[in-house]
Amino acid sequence: MTLKRMDNVGIVVESLDAAISFFAELGLKLEGRATIEGEWAGRVTGLRNQRVEIAMLVTPDGHGRLELSRFLTPPVVADHRNAPVNALGYLRVMFTVDDIDETLVRLRSRGAQLVGEVVQYQEAYRLCYIRGPEGLLIGLAEELRPSDPA
């Protein structure tokens, strides 16, 4: 059996509204929002009696999805939001943008902070890491040469 696709990346947040607003400013579109609960949900995650608000956002090309979750029950048990990029198991999401400088200006107005600096990798990319809502680590990449159509 062959892998068909990656459906989404999931991130647990405290404020679903703030996270939705931030990622919408980045360019993702809210696809849907719901509360997930019930015995079936707990069987999937291994958390009994869970109640979770989720929001699904989609990238402009329609291929990538980001699932934001806010746990109502059970309470959150760990917080990795401010871990450095070399922490084991730490999640980082990378997005390609048209203009990294313009994107940084827009996201700074939503509280984003540059982690290091914007750097250029050869003649291919400009890259940076930012801390987004709740300290989430997000990578931004700007392609410097057009993508190969092949």
Side-chain angles (χ1 to χ4, degrees):
M1 189 169 213
T2 303
L3 178 73
K4 291 172 75 173
R5 69 178 171 266
M6 184 181 83
D7 282 328
N8 66 68
V9 172
I11 300 176
V12 176
V13 297
E14 281 184 301
S15 174
L16 203 54
D17 291 332
I20 290 169
S21 177
F22 181 88
F23 287 107
E25 183 67 39
L26 183 57
L28 280 76
K29 185 172 189 167
L30 181 63
E31 195 173 53
R33 195 170 173 166
T35 300
I36 307 297
E37 60 188 329
E39 184 263 339
W40 71 271
R43 287 188 5 242
V44 171
T45 62
L47 300 173
R48 295 191 188 283
N49 303 317
Q50 78 175 32
R51 187 163 186 256
V52 184
E53 289 181 312
I54 67 161
M56 190 67 73
L57 295 105
V58 63
T59 57
D61 66 1
H63 296 293
R65 285 179 174 66
L66 181 65
E67 180 181 307
L68 301 173
S69 302
R70 182 173 85 90
F71 276 80
L72 304 170
T73 58
V76 174
V77 297
D79 189 342
H80 304 285
R81 291 176 291 190
N82 293 310
V85 298
N86 62 342
L88 292 175
Y90 190 74
L91 173 66
R92 181 263 298 145
V93 180
M94 176 73 76
F95 295 99
T96 300
V97 298
D98 288 329
D99 182 331
I100 207 166
D101 297 315
E102 183 270 335
T103 301
L104 285 170
V105 168
R106 286 193 353 262
L107 295 180
R108 281 182 173 136
S109 73
R110 301 262 182 193
Q113 297 178 337
L114 195 58
V115 171
E117 57 187 88
V118 178
V119 298
Q120 184 167 324
Y121 174 71
Q122 298 180 354
E123 298 299 318
Y125 290 99
R126 292 181 69 220
L127 305 159
C128 70
Y129 285 151
I130 61 172
R131 291 280 180 185
E134 303 180 27
L136 297 172
L137 188 62
I138 299 163
L140 300 175
E142 175 186 340
E143 294 175 307
L144 296 177
R145 57 183 170 207
S147 299
D148 229 0

